[in-house]
Amino acid sequence: MTFVMTKNENVTINSRGNERELINLAKNGDSDAFEKLLFDYKNYVGYIVDTTCWSCGEYREDFMQEGFLALFRAVRTYDGLSSSFSTYAFQCIKNAVITAWRKYERIPKEREFCDTYDRSPEEIVLEQESARLLYERMMLPLSELEK
């Protein structure tokens, strides 16, 4: 196996033949081969996460983890007959990240400005009433066109 160190110290696979060899080694349990594939596809996974989940914020690492797990599954299930590994891995990673994103979107988010649990029902009603009265006072001096 021949590996080339680039300027920014990323390990890149020299040719598709070496990539296939790494995939076969990783399929047979060689953790070093999988680690080399993982390192080589790290930016690839990051690109897919960033373009798919552009507003995931603090959960980006979780989506990255889903992408790495998908890469692991792609290595295990790649047959080498239908397409190149990068195409196959891209689709596996993208599908896993989209599925994780959809699950994330279904989780109810904490409601901001929700402090009703700290107040009694009477306090809530009084606050709503005072907000209604304030709104009416603000609207009073306005003409029909201004409303």
Side-chain angles (χ1 to χ4, degrees):
M1 285 182 272
T2 306
F3 297 96
V4 178
M5 296 300 280
T6 60
K7 252 175 126 176
N8 59 2
E9 300 302 316
N10 286 336
V11 176
T12 56
I13 297 169
N14 199 350
S15 69
R16 292 287 174 214
N18 287 339
E19 184 178 67
R20 286 187 191 273
E21 186 177 334
L22 278 177
I23 292 165
N24 288 332
L25 288 170
K27 273 186 181 182
N28 293 325
D30 186 344
S31 60
D32 291 335
F34 180 73
E35 189 175 330
K36 288 173 185 157
L37 283 169
L38 185 67
F39 189 76
D40 198 47
Y41 280 87
K42 180 178 63 173
N43 292 335
Y44 205 58
V45 172
Y47 169 78
I48 294 169
V49 168
D50 291 342
T51 56
T52 305
C53 312
W54 46 268
S55 65
C56 60
E58 64 195 42
Y59 297 102
R60 183 179 187 274
E61 291 302 316
D62 294 336
F63 293 114
M64 289 288 292
Q65 189 69 27
E66 289 292 329
F68 292 136
L69 288 172
L71 177 63
F72 179 76
R73 286 189 298 273
V75 167
R76 292 286 189 190
T77 59
Y78 180 64
D79 61 7
L81 303 174
S82 56
S83 63
S84 70
F85 177 73
S86 61
T87 302
Y88 182 75
F90 177 85
Q91 200 59 52
C92 290
I93 295 165
K94 185 176 178 185
N95 289 344
V97 170
I98 288 172
T99 300
W101 176 253
R102 287 178 181 157
K103 287 178 184 175
Y104 165 77
E105 285 295 307
R106 278 186 251 145
I107 298 171
K109 307 297 183 283
E110 291 182 25
R111 292 178 49 195
E112 293 181 30
F113 312 112
C114 183
D115 59 352
T116 58
Y117 299 110
D118 297 337
R119 298 178 294 165
S120 70
E122 183 182 353
E123 290 173 321
I124 294 169
V125 169
L126 287 173
E127 186 176 302
Q128 290 172 344
E129 181 65 22
S130 66
R132 186 186 59 77
L133 289 172
L134 179 63
Y135 177 77
E136 287 175 359
R137 285 186 198 146
M138 288 177 11
M139 297 301 283
L140 207 79
L142 299 178
S143 70
E144 288 301 315
L145 289 175
E146 293 174 317
K147 292 182 184 177

